Amino acid sequence: MNNNFKSGFVTIIGRPNVGKSTLMNHLIGQKIAITSNKPQTTRNRIQTVYTDMEKGQIVFVDTPGIHKAKNKLGEYMVNVAEKTLNEVDVVLWLVEPSNFIGAGEQHIIEKLQRVNTPVILIINKVDTVDEKEKILEYIDTYRKVYDFAEIVPLSALRGQNTEILTDLIFKYLPYGPQFYDEDTITDQPERQICAELVREKLLTCLDKEIPHGTAVEVTKFSERDDGIIDLEVTIYCEKDSHKGIIIGKKGAMLKKIASAARTDCEEFLGCRVNLQCWVKVKADWRDNEFMLNNFGFKQQPNR
Ligand code: GDP
Ligand code: MG
């Protein structure tokens, strides 16, 4: 038994696109939360686990951005994010390298003022700042608006100054038990992560209005004797026209999406993956069955 073992929960907050998923992926060293340059790609709380057998265990909760809700799903995401602030041991707040504290940041400051959880401010993307003195200015700007436990400038993408972060987090964690096995990196089922990886490709390959109306479901996940994983995924979209766009000319877009997703799934699962993607319009998806067959994407049997 290691009596100096610490453990606790950490949430990463910040406006969409600030680099939360990138940071978490970098810390964990494997691609788990999906990243893209379109906002609001993270719908679920994704727990990942960082274990250092000498120091302790950090359980990360990736939150949707805290912002003003525009619809029911948005409302749900905001509530999840706010509740999390009270439940965790440390909050990591990521901001852009800037002196400008906008309405979104003000909103977060108001939320933070209502909790006692220590907050570590991370000024991310410092690789984009040419004059390093500027970074000191940003630190000063933020220091004036909230009593942060720590302020850390870093680049999640380039891995600059990220190595000190885990030690700073441990500083604020209580002594406690090991929650997860040391090999565990996430409590999300592998199949859900694969669905998220497909969704990420929809986001990066398509115009933004279409992916936000899509859902991805893994309908088959099975391992063959030779270790290959058969993965079948259904992409649900809202309109026939969207389905057409997702499939693309002669199925080219769906092939592109599936091929990029397969590469990531193979990397994540560490084995070869046979990925098949289906596209369905939720209301009336059967209308275009012949079209899918035409393009070589067999329609799934009616379930
Ligand atoms: P999230 O919405 O907060 O989860 O942001 P993501 O992690 O999805 O990142 C959004 C975009 O910012 C992606 O294109 C990232 O590659 C980029 N990004 C994240 N961290 C950095 C960084 O440190 N430097 C630079 N230059 N870009 C970054
Ligand atoms: Mg994200």
Side-chain angles (χ1 to χ4, degrees):
M1 255 299 273
N2 174 357
N3 284 327
N4 293 321
F5 202 85
K6 291 184 154 191
S7 60
F9 294 82
V10 174
T11 189
I12 305 181
I13 63 164
R15 64 162 62 223
N17 254 345
V18 72
K20 299 179 293 297
S21 300
T22 306
L23 179 67
M24 196 175 68
N25 291 337
H26 180 84
L27 292 172
I28 301 298
Q30 191 169 1
K31 186 163 189 167
I32 298 186
I34 59 171
T35 55
S36 88
N37 55 10
K38 296 196 181 98
Q40 287 188 46
T41 54
T42 311
R43 273 190 196 166
N44 297 307
R45 297 171 61 173
I46 296 178
Q47 285 195 331
T48 56
V49 185
Y50 174 93
T51 310
D52 179 325
M53 289 311 284
E54 300 294 308
K55 293 171 184 157
Q57 191 163 65
I58 305 169
V59 181
F60 287 100
V61 189
D62 190 27
T63 62
I66 300 181
H67 48 81
K68 294 235 161 67
K70 290 198 195 83
N71 54 35
K72 260 267 176 312
L73 176 65
E75 237 171 69
Y76 168 79
M77 296 196 300
V78 171
N79 288 340
V80 168
E82 289 178 6
K83 191 159 169 282
T84 307
L85 298 181
N86 276 308
E87 294 172 346
V88 294
D89 299 294
V90 177
V91 174
L92 299 185
W93 180 21
L94 266 75
V95 294
E96 300 280 341
S98 163
N99 278 317
F100 177 70
I101 298 185
E105 283 74 27
Q106 286 295 354
H107 188 67
I108 288 178
I109 290 166
E110 283 165 32
K111 301 286 172 206
L112 292 178
Q113 263 149 1
R114 286 190 240 142
V115 301
N116 293 319
T117 316
V119 182
I120 298 178
L121 180 79
I122 293 174
I123 300 178
N124 190 30
K125 307 190 185 181
V126 294
D127 58 297
T128 62
V129 181
D130 290 332
E131 300 165 57
K132 296 302 160 196
E133 308 82 65
K134 281 276 173 208
I135 297 170
L136 297 175
E137 271 182 41
Y138 306 149
I139 292 174
D140 218 45
T141 301
Y142 272 94
R143 205 192 345 240
K144 286 177 189 145
V145 294
Y146 187 83
D147 187 17
F148 294 103
E150 311 277 346
I151 299 182
V152 187
L154 58 78
S155 167
L157 189 66
R158 309 250 175 265
Q160 292 163 2
N161 209 30
T162 48
E163 63 288 346
I164 62 161
L165 191 57
T166 46
D167 277 343
L168 282 178
I169 294 168
F170 278 128
K171 191 170 146 188
Y172 295 93
L173 292 190
Y175 291 98
Q178 189 179 334
F179 296 116
Y180 296 91
D181 190 88
E182 73 169 293
D183 295 330
T184 303
I185 48 160
T186 177
D187 70 350
Q188 292 269 310
E190 286 174 332
R191 51 160 62 212
Q192 189 168 344
I193 290 167
C194 291
E196 289 279 286
L197 289 170
V198 173
R199 231 175 78 73
E200 177 188 56
K201 300 311 167 212
L202 293 169
L203 286 156
T204 49
C205 295
L206 301 166
D207 280 343
K208 66 172 177 296
E209 66 271 26
I210 296 167
H212 287 294
T214 60
V216 177
E217 184 192 13
V218 172
T219 40
K220 182 181 178 191
F221 188 106
S222 61
E223 195 173 347
R224 297 186 207 168
D225 288 344
D226 59 4
I228 295 176
I229 287 182
D230 286 307
L231 183 63
E232 272 181 25
V233 157
T234 304
I235 299 164
Y236 294 99
C237 60
E238 290 167 336
K239 294 180 190 160
D240 269 345
S241 61
H242 288 177
K243 178 174 172 175
I245 292 166
I246 293 169
I247 292 169
K249 213 173 172 190
K250 295 194 175 166
M253 181 55 84
L254 189 55
K255 272 185 186 148
K256 182 178 164 192
I257 289 164
S259 143
R262 191 192 43 140
T263 305
D264 274 11
C265 289
E266 287 185 336
E267 194 184 322
F268 169 65
L269 296 166
C271 64
R272 277 184 57 204
V273 171
N274 170 38
L275 174 64
Q276 298 216 32
C277 295
W278 316 98
V279 185
K280 288 183 187 174
V281 177
K282 217 151 192 175
D284 208 5
W285 58 271
R286 262 180 276 205
D287 283 356
N288 279 324
E289 192 168 354
F290 77 95
M291 199 168 87
L292 277 171
N293 287 332
N294 240 7
F295 295 144
F297 298 98
K298 270 200 328 280
Q299 189 76 49
Q300 210 187 314
N302 202 355
R303 287 182 311 137

